[in-house]
Every structure is written in structure tokens, then in C-alpha cells.
Amino acid sequence: MSDLPQAWPPQPQPPLAYASLRLEDYDISPTHGFLPSEPPLRRLPDPYYSPWESIMDRFNQYLLAHHVRRLMPVLDTDRLSTQAEYRRAFTILSFMAHAYVWGRNGAESEPASEFLPASIAVPWVAVAEFLELNPVVCCAAVCHWNWQILDEDAEDPMDIDNLGTLHTFSGSMDESWFYLVTTAIEAKCARGLNAILTATAAVEQDAIGVVTESLGQMAVSLVEANVILERMYDRCDPYVFYWKIREFLAGWENMAEAGLPHGVLYEGVDDTDTFSLDNWQSLIRRFRKYAGGSAAQTPLLQAFDIALGIKHYPTGERGRQAAAPAQWSRFAALEIPEPPPANSYLVRMRDYMPGGHRRFLEDLAATCRIREYVLLTCSDSLLHVCRPDDPRVLLRQAYNGCVGQMESFRNKHLMLVSRYIIAPAKNGPSLPQRAAAPPPSQLILPTASAQTTARTAPRPLPGGRMGGDSLPADPAMYPQTNTAASWQPETALSRPPPQVKGRLARRLEADAVARGTGGTDAVEFLKQVRNETAQTKVP
């Protein structure tokens, strides 16, 4: 927080005082950001779609009983009329599709399905084309359009503790919490989006005070985002996420090891009427390959990257942040330097965003000059000896404060990936399918004093957290995440379940690459993104 401007935090400012872009023109809410202004529909109003809704009413039970692949009614999308209805349909079909592909039909050894029936594929593709995004589970489907407010009269209706999910694959609290952390961050950062537009327009008028204050508002929203992200550990257990949830969020790109070497064929959309050994290669080319749900699919972080001029390069390649233009009149439009090669993965992730959000990022990139303005305004070599309240000093501090909060957010994200993906993948499952109960003769009953202590002791939170402290988890409550060397699960539990070929959730060898649900090398990608963010600070 040392880089943030004085009088911190700044007071909220009237939004869009100078803005030329309007959030509403891109289907973005000034109060909820990239979330809808109103809570998503809980049911489609037309009774025609009651077969879909009936499945979702008992979705977790059907998935548990391996009945999902048998319950796919054929419905058209002609009766969908509003944007909210299309969003609801996309969420329903996304859950159905991924349950069909990754759900097992009665046998854990059964491979993932390379085939998606027309009853799902045809309406899913039609709805996706209307919303202008790829037909696959994405951040919008599970986080942006999958929430509800528990208490409408709450002081902050969009507080994470006042939100619930509409649907999950596992039916677990852990999965709901995983989605809601992202949902709450999106809502809290709406203030930052308004500030981005205000700062963008203020740059054109050389209003240094407005730019500084707007950067302060952006930093406030990023501070709140960091606080919410840290709460992931509270109610989402790493074991449950990696072994029970994560596979359903995967797509069908770079998933040969998980049983989808060619991707997935969408029946009725990409297949052919006739098939023979002569045209099988043509059929293979019709398989679709999409990345799965990923944090890179939220427009929020990309909007802050664009606003702050943070450049990302292809993974493994090093670039440098652009300097300020040599010639620029402060009251004229900036001449934008030739853009560097962008990280292709981040660019492709825009195809997994709704069309309006994608166009917002494109238009923001074409108009935002905040970094160039800061570089030019703070280019004086004697700036370090200026008064602390010099407007240029405050501008640089505010800008670096924002970049610092983005760096902190990405550090936390990297830690989450290590805890929720890398560690479970390397360690393997330590919680077996069945637990062997000890014989009565070996049971140790607690004393009265021990019972009193247990009732009054603070309850450990999933992931080994107790009251915010990083303490080892109680092995009796969370054996799957226990890291204490003294606890030996083999003495109380039966042998861990065997590894199943063709599964995303599996134990990896020491030198194997842990891929995210988006199909990338998660650690290398996030490290580079974090480092590129840190390099953007203005010295």
C-alpha cells in the first residue's frame, strides 16, 4: 500500500464525468460490472422448456446416478426472446454438455465422450451464436450467469456472503464457493470499470487530478478483489476441487491425455450424413477443440491490463513495456506505438466472452492512453526531488499503486494454482473410496476435558485455515489436505483408488506438466503474466 496516493483511500467520485465510452453500450452494468444488472433467471418462463428445467431441478442426482446421458430432450431455441433467456439457456446447456462429455455412464473406467448428441449440440451452438461466444463451459456460464441474491434487503446485496449459485456439477459447497469468489470480484470491481472510463477521457483533456483520482478508485476496487480472492481458502477444499470438480470445467483442447485426442464432435452441427473409412479423416477435422473454463476468460482483468498498459507476450518470450511517444501534444490524441505481439492465449480467450464484452476490450484498447500519459507527465528526471504533493508525484504513485495491486492479485492466483492443482496432482489422492473403520478395541474415547476443549476450540477452515492463520488442517476433518508428517493415512485408511486412464484429475509424475482447464501450462503462463505486470511500474 506504500505506492498508493496520499489521503488513501479516496472518496468515490461521480462516474463518467468525461467518459466517451459508455458501459451500457457494451452490455456492461455500471453497478455490477460484467455481471447482469439483475440476477440471472432461475427458470425459463416458457413452459416449452420445462424438460430442460426438470433436468436441472435434479441435475446433481442424475449426475450421481449416471443418468445424464439418457435424459436429453430435443428442443428448439425459437422461443427464446430476451438476452436473459438466452443466458439461462446457455448455462443450462453448458452444464448438460459437460456432464455428458465428462460424466461416466455407470462406470468410473468409462472414457470421456467424444460425441455430443444433437439434442444438446444444436441448441447450444445456436444460443452461443446469439451471445457471440464459443459453445463450451466458460467463466460467463458458471460465474456471470449462475448466481442469486439471498437477501435482497441486505446492506450490500452483492457481498459474497449474500450470494448463492444456481447450479453446480458436484452439488458441493466447495464448487459454489469457487464460482462465487469470481462473481463477487466482478461486482466489487464495477467501480474500477467506471474509473477506467473516467481516466481514459480525462487523459484527453490533460486533467491530471481526475486521472490521479480515477487511478485511486481503480486501486480501491483491486484491493477489494485481492481480499475476496484470499477467501477462496475459506470454503473450497483443494482435494474436492481437484478430484471432484475440476474435470467438469475442462474443455476439449489439448486434452488427449484426458481421453479427447481429437476434441468433440457436435452432432447435427459438424457431422456428415454418411460415414465410411474413406472419409474418416474429413470427419476428424470436424471435431471441435475448445479450451475449458478459465479465469483468463473474464473481461475484467483484461480491461485493467489495457487500462494500465500492461502488455503480455507469447509464453516463453520476453518483451518490454513500451515507452512514452517521443512527440505528443497533451491536448491532441496520442500516437499509439506499434503494438507488440500479444499473448495468443489471452487473445483467444476473448472468443469465450460475450460479444459486447469483447468489443468493449477492443474499443478500450483503441482509446485508452493512461500509461502513455503517466510516462510523459512523469518523465522529468528531477521528479524524485519534487514535493510529495506535486501532482506528477501523486499521479505516478497512483499508477504504480494500481499496477502493484494487479501484481498482488496475480501472485495470489499463482498461489491458488499451486495449492489447488499442482499439489494435489503431484501428491495424488490421499482420500480413498472407502475408509476402513478401526476395530472397537482400538478406539480412544476422549476425556470430559478433551470434549470441553473440542467444543470451545475454533473450527479449522478448509485448506488448513483457522481464524485467518496458516495452520495445518485437522486430519480428522480434512485428511485429504493434511500436510503434517506425523499423520499417516495408511494406518487408518485403505489403499487409495487406482489411477483411471483418460482422466483429467490424476496423479502426475514429478516432471509432468500440470495443465489448467484452459489447456495451458498453468504455472509457466501465470508466472510470466505476473512478471510482465510487475515490469509495468513507472520508476
Short mmCIF file of all heavy atoms in Angstrom, two decimals, residues 431-468:
data_model
loop_
_atom_site.label_atom_id
_atom_site.label_comp_id
_atom_site.label_asym_id
_atom_site.label_seq_id
_atom_site.Cartn_x
_atom_site.Cartn_y
_atom_site.Cartn_z
N LEU A 431 -7.23 -39.55 -0.14
CA LEU A 431 -8.52 -39.94 0.43
C LEU A 431 -9.10 -41.05 -0.43
O LEU A 431 -9.47 -40.82 -1.57
CB LEU A 431 -9.49 -38.76 0.47
CG LEU A 431 -10.82 -39.03 1.17
CD1 LEU A 431 -10.58 -39.26 2.65
CD2 LEU A 431 -11.78 -37.87 0.96
N PRO A 432 -9.17 -42.28 0.05
CA PRO A 432 -9.62 -43.40 -0.76
C PRO A 432 -11.13 -43.41 -0.92
O PRO A 432 -11.85 -42.63 -0.32
CB PRO A 432 -9.15 -44.62 0.03
CG PRO A 432 -9.17 -44.16 1.43
CD PRO A 432 -8.79 -42.71 1.39
N GLN A 433 -11.58 -44.37 -1.73
CA GLN A 433 -13.02 -44.51 -1.95
C GLN A 433 -13.72 -45.00 -0.70
O GLN A 433 -14.87 -44.68 -0.45
CB GLN A 433 -13.25 -45.48 -3.11
CG GLN A 433 -12.78 -44.91 -4.44
CD GLN A 433 -12.83 -45.96 -5.53
OE1 GLN A 433 -12.58 -47.13 -5.29
NE2 GLN A 433 -13.14 -45.54 -6.74
N ARG A 434 -13.05 -45.80 0.12
CA ARG A 434 -13.64 -46.31 1.34
C ARG A 434 -12.64 -46.14 2.48
O ARG A 434 -11.45 -46.33 2.31
CB ARG A 434 -13.99 -47.80 1.22
CG ARG A 434 -15.10 -48.07 0.21
CD ARG A 434 -15.41 -49.56 0.20
NE ARG A 434 -16.46 -49.87 -0.77
CZ ARG A 434 -16.22 -50.12 -2.05
NH1 ARG A 434 -14.99 -50.09 -2.50
NH2 ARG A 434 -17.20 -50.40 -2.88
N ALA A 435 -13.14 -45.81 3.63
CA ALA A 435 -12.30 -45.71 4.82
C ALA A 435 -12.52 -46.93 5.69
O ALA A 435 -13.65 -47.31 5.97
CB ALA A 435 -12.63 -44.45 5.60
N ALA A 436 -11.43 -47.55 6.12
CA ALA A 436 -11.52 -48.72 6.97
C ALA A 436 -11.67 -48.28 8.42
O ALA A 436 -10.77 -47.66 8.98
CB ALA A 436 -10.27 -49.59 6.81
N ALA A 437 -12.81 -48.58 9.01
CA ALA A 437 -13.05 -48.17 10.40
C ALA A 437 -12.17 -49.00 11.32
O ALA A 437 -12.04 -50.22 11.15
CB ALA A 437 -14.52 -48.36 10.76
N PRO A 438 -11.54 -48.39 12.33
CA PRO A 438 -10.72 -49.16 13.26
C PRO A 438 -11.59 -50.06 14.11
O PRO A 438 -12.76 -49.75 14.38
CB PRO A 438 -10.05 -48.07 14.11
CG PRO A 438 -10.98 -46.89 14.01
CD PRO A 438 -11.59 -46.96 12.65
N PRO A 439 -11.07 -51.18 14.56
CA PRO A 439 -11.85 -52.07 15.44
C PRO A 439 -12.15 -51.38 16.75
O PRO A 439 -11.42 -50.48 17.18
CB PRO A 439 -10.92 -53.27 15.64
CG PRO A 439 -9.55 -52.77 15.33
CD PRO A 439 -9.73 -51.72 14.28
N PRO A 440 -13.24 -51.78 17.43
CA PRO A 440 -13.62 -51.12 18.70
C PRO A 440 -12.52 -51.12 19.74
O PRO A 440 -12.40 -50.20 20.53
CB PRO A 440 -14.84 -51.94 19.16
CG PRO A 440 -15.39 -52.54 17.91
CD PRO A 440 -14.21 -52.81 17.03
N SER A 441 -11.69 -52.14 19.72
CA SER A 441 -10.64 -52.22 20.73
C SER A 441 -9.59 -51.13 20.57
O SER A 441 -8.86 -50.81 21.50
CB SER A 441 -9.94 -53.58 20.66
OG SER A 441 -9.36 -53.77 19.38
N GLN A 442 -9.51 -50.55 19.36
CA GLN A 442 -8.52 -49.52 19.11
C GLN A 442 -9.09 -48.11 19.21
O GLN A 442 -8.36 -47.14 19.00
CB GLN A 442 -7.89 -49.72 17.74
CG GLN A 442 -7.13 -51.03 17.60
CD GLN A 442 -6.47 -51.17 16.25
OE1 GLN A 442 -6.38 -50.21 15.49
NE2 GLN A 442 -6.02 -52.37 15.93
N LEU A 443 -10.37 -48.00 19.48
CA LEU A 443 -10.97 -46.68 19.59
C LEU A 443 -10.55 -46.03 20.91
O LEU A 443 -10.57 -46.67 21.97
CB LEU A 443 -12.49 -46.78 19.54
CG LEU A 443 -13.10 -47.10 18.17
CD1 LEU A 443 -14.61 -47.24 18.30
CD2 LEU A 443 -12.77 -46.01 17.16
N ILE A 444 -10.16 -44.75 20.85
CA ILE A 444 -9.76 -43.99 22.03
C ILE A 444 -10.82 -42.94 22.28
O ILE A 444 -10.97 -42.01 21.48
CB ILE A 444 -8.38 -43.36 21.85
CG1 ILE A 444 -7.33 -44.45 21.56
CG2 ILE A 444 -7.99 -42.53 23.07
CD1 ILE A 444 -5.95 -43.89 21.28
N LEU A 445 -11.58 -43.11 23.35
CA LEU A 445 -12.64 -42.15 23.64
C LEU A 445 -12.06 -40.92 24.31
O LEU A 445 -11.21 -41.03 25.21
CB LEU A 445 -13.69 -42.81 24.54
CG LEU A 445 -14.38 -44.04 23.96
CD1 LEU A 445 -15.36 -44.60 24.97
CD2 LEU A 445 -15.08 -43.69 22.66
N PRO A 446 -12.51 -39.73 23.93
CA PRO A 446 -11.98 -38.51 24.53
C PRO A 446 -12.45 -38.36 25.97
O PRO A 446 -13.54 -38.79 26.35
CB PRO A 446 -12.55 -37.40 23.64
CG PRO A 446 -13.79 -37.99 23.06
CD PRO A 446 -13.50 -39.46 22.89
N THR A 447 -11.63 -37.75 26.79
CA THR A 447 -12.00 -37.47 28.18
C THR A 447 -12.96 -36.31 28.22
O THR A 447 -13.19 -35.61 27.23
CB THR A 447 -10.75 -37.13 28.99
OG1 THR A 447 -10.17 -35.94 28.45
CG2 THR A 447 -9.72 -38.26 28.92
N ALA A 448 -13.56 -36.06 29.38
CA ALA A 448 -14.50 -34.95 29.53
C ALA A 448 -13.83 -33.62 29.25
O ALA A 448 -14.40 -32.74 28.61
CB ALA A 448 -15.10 -34.97 30.94
N SER A 449 -12.58 -33.45 29.74
CA SER A 449 -11.87 -32.19 29.49
C SER A 449 -11.57 -32.02 28.02
O SER A 449 -11.64 -30.92 27.48
CB SER A 449 -10.57 -32.15 30.29
OG SER A 449 -9.73 -33.24 29.93
N ALA A 450 -11.26 -33.12 27.33
CA ALA A 450 -10.99 -33.04 25.90
C ALA A 450 -12.25 -32.67 25.13
O ALA A 450 -12.21 -31.92 24.16
CB ALA A 450 -10.42 -34.37 25.38
N GLN A 451 -13.41 -33.19 25.56
CA GLN A 451 -14.66 -32.84 24.91
C GLN A 451 -14.96 -31.36 25.08
O GLN A 451 -15.42 -30.69 24.16
CB GLN A 451 -15.80 -33.69 25.47
CG GLN A 451 -15.69 -35.17 25.10
CD GLN A 451 -16.78 -35.99 25.76
OE1 GLN A 451 -17.46 -35.52 26.67
NE2 GLN A 451 -16.96 -37.21 25.30
N THR A 452 -14.71 -30.83 26.28
CA THR A 452 -14.94 -29.40 26.51
C THR A 452 -14.03 -28.57 25.63
O THR A 452 -14.45 -27.59 25.03
CB THR A 452 -14.69 -29.06 27.99
OG1 THR A 452 -15.55 -29.85 28.80
CG2 THR A 452 -14.95 -27.58 28.24
N THR A 453 -12.76 -28.98 25.53
CA THR A 453 -11.82 -28.24 24.68
C THR A 453 -12.25 -28.27 23.23
O THR A 453 -12.18 -27.28 22.51
CB THR A 453 -10.41 -28.84 24.82
OG1 THR A 453 -10.02 -28.79 26.18
CG2 THR A 453 -9.41 -28.08 23.96
N ALA A 454 -12.73 -29.42 22.77
CA ALA A 454 -13.15 -29.55 21.37
C ALA A 454 -14.33 -28.65 21.06
O ALA A 454 -14.45 -28.12 19.97
CB ALA A 454 -13.49 -31.01 21.06
N ARG A 455 -15.25 -28.50 22.07
CA ARG A 455 -16.42 -27.67 21.81
C ARG A 455 -16.08 -26.20 21.75
O ARG A 455 -16.72 -25.42 21.05
CB ARG A 455 -17.48 -27.90 22.90
CG ARG A 455 -18.21 -29.22 22.77
CD ARG A 455 -19.45 -29.22 23.65
NE ARG A 455 -19.12 -29.08 25.06
CZ ARG A 455 -18.92 -30.10 25.89
NH1 ARG A 455 -19.01 -31.34 25.43
NH2 ARG A 455 -18.63 -29.89 27.17
N THR A 456 -15.06 -25.78 22.49
CA THR A 456 -14.72 -24.36 22.56
C THR A 456 -13.63 -23.97 21.59
O THR A 456 -13.42 -22.78 21.34
CB THR A 456 -14.26 -24.00 23.98
OG1 THR A 456 -13.13 -24.81 24.32
CG2 THR A 456 -15.39 -24.23 24.98
N ALA A 457 -12.90 -24.92 21.02
CA ALA A 457 -11.80 -24.59 20.13
C ALA A 457 -12.36 -24.07 18.81
O ALA A 457 -13.42 -24.50 18.35
CB ALA A 457 -10.94 -25.83 19.87
N PRO A 458 -11.66 -23.12 18.18
CA PRO A 458 -12.10 -22.64 16.87
C PRO A 458 -12.03 -23.74 15.84
O PRO A 458 -11.09 -24.54 15.83
CB PRO A 458 -11.11 -21.51 16.54
CG PRO A 458 -9.90 -21.81 17.39
CD PRO A 458 -10.43 -22.46 18.62
N ARG A 459 -13.02 -23.78 14.97
CA ARG A 459 -13.09 -24.85 13.98
C ARG A 459 -12.19 -24.53 12.79
O ARG A 459 -12.28 -23.46 12.21
CB ARG A 459 -14.52 -25.00 13.48
CG ARG A 459 -14.69 -26.10 12.43
CD ARG A 459 -16.14 -26.30 12.10
NE ARG A 459 -16.30 -27.31 11.07
CZ ARG A 459 -17.49 -27.77 10.67
NH1 ARG A 459 -18.59 -27.32 11.23
NH2 ARG A 459 -17.56 -28.68 9.73
N PRO A 460 -11.31 -25.45 12.41
CA PRO A 460 -10.43 -25.19 11.27
C PRO A 460 -11.26 -25.03 10.01
O PRO A 460 -12.27 -25.70 9.81
CB PRO A 460 -9.53 -26.43 11.21
CG PRO A 460 -9.69 -27.10 12.53
CD PRO A 460 -11.05 -26.76 13.01
N LEU A 461 -10.80 -24.15 9.12
CA LEU A 461 -11.45 -23.95 7.84
C LEU A 461 -10.77 -24.82 6.80
O LEU A 461 -9.62 -25.22 6.96
CB LEU A 461 -11.35 -22.48 7.43
CG LEU A 461 -12.09 -21.51 8.36
CD1 LEU A 461 -11.78 -20.08 7.96
CD2 LEU A 461 -13.58 -21.76 8.32
N PRO A 462 -11.47 -25.14 5.69
CA PRO A 462 -10.84 -25.97 4.65
C PRO A 462 -9.54 -25.35 4.19
O PRO A 462 -9.41 -24.14 4.08
CB PRO A 462 -11.90 -25.98 3.55
CG PRO A 462 -13.19 -25.75 4.25
CD PRO A 462 -12.86 -24.84 5.40
N GLY A 463 -8.59 -26.21 3.85
CA GLY A 463 -7.32 -25.73 3.37
C GLY A 463 -6.35 -25.40 4.48
O GLY A 463 -5.30 -24.83 4.26
N GLY A 464 -6.70 -25.73 5.73
CA GLY A 464 -5.78 -25.52 6.82
C GLY A 464 -5.81 -24.14 7.40
O GLY A 464 -4.81 -23.65 7.92
N ARG A 465 -6.94 -23.42 7.31
CA ARG A 465 -7.01 -22.07 7.85
C ARG A 465 -7.84 -22.07 9.12
O ARG A 465 -8.88 -22.70 9.21
CB ARG A 465 -7.63 -21.12 6.82
CG ARG A 465 -6.75 -20.91 5.61
CD ARG A 465 -7.48 -20.12 4.55
NE ARG A 465 -7.85 -18.80 5.03
CZ ARG A 465 -7.06 -17.75 5.00
NH1 ARG A 465 -5.83 -17.86 4.55
NH2 ARG A 465 -7.46 -16.56 5.41
N MET A 466 -7.39 -21.37 10.12
CA MET A 466 -8.12 -21.24 11.37
C MET A 466 -8.06 -19.78 11.78
O MET A 466 -7.01 -19.27 12.16
CB MET A 466 -7.50 -22.12 12.44
CG MET A 466 -8.26 -22.09 13.78
SD MET A 466 -7.46 -23.12 15.00
CE MET A 466 -7.70 -24.74 14.32
N GLY A 467 -9.19 -19.09 11.63
CA GLY A 467 -9.23 -17.69 12.01
C GLY A 467 -8.26 -16.84 11.22
O GLY A 467 -7.74 -15.86 11.71
N GLY A 468 -7.97 -17.22 9.97
CA GLY A 468 -7.08 -16.45 9.13
C GLY A 468 -5.62 -16.85 9.25
O GLY A 468 -4.78 -16.36 8.52
#
